[in-house]
Amino acid sequence: MFSDPNFSALGPGLALTVVGAVAVGMTRTSFGYDMVTSGYQASAATFSGVDPKRTIVATMTLSGWSPASSRRCSRS
């Protein structure tokens, strides 16, 4: 496996870095809290002062950007 010239440790390392960044973003930022709150109950998010529609659109944009950017990096 490691002797294959097409193998690169950069890909798994980059993937673990992205996963770590998303985990920190979800657990330690207000945007992460808003995403979790909007995902569970939009009405509860509204009562806590979160705009659930805006947060859901931002979450979908982020989830669409992530695979698109990894695809772009792999084509170079």
Side-chain angles (χ1 to χ4, degrees):
M1 175 175 159
F2 295 110
S3 62
D4 184 14
N6 293 325
F7 177 76
S8 172
L10 184 63
L14 182 63
L16 288 174
T17 302
V18 170
V19 167
V22 169
V24 167
M26 289 289 292
T27 58
R28 298 185 184 255
T29 65
S30 61
F31 180 69
Y33 176 77
D34 292 348
M35 283 196 311
V36 172
T37 306
S38 296
Y40 285 133
Q41 286 185 341
S43 60
T46 303
F47 287 128
S48 67
V50 176
D51 183 9
K53 290 182 181 180
R54 179 175 168 251
T55 305
I56 289 171
V57 169
T59 303
M60 289 186 178
T61 302
L62 182 65
S63 67
W65 171 81
S66 176
S69 65
S70 67
R71 177 72 177 153
R72 182 175 178 213
C73 290
S74 68
R75 297 185 110 192
S76 57

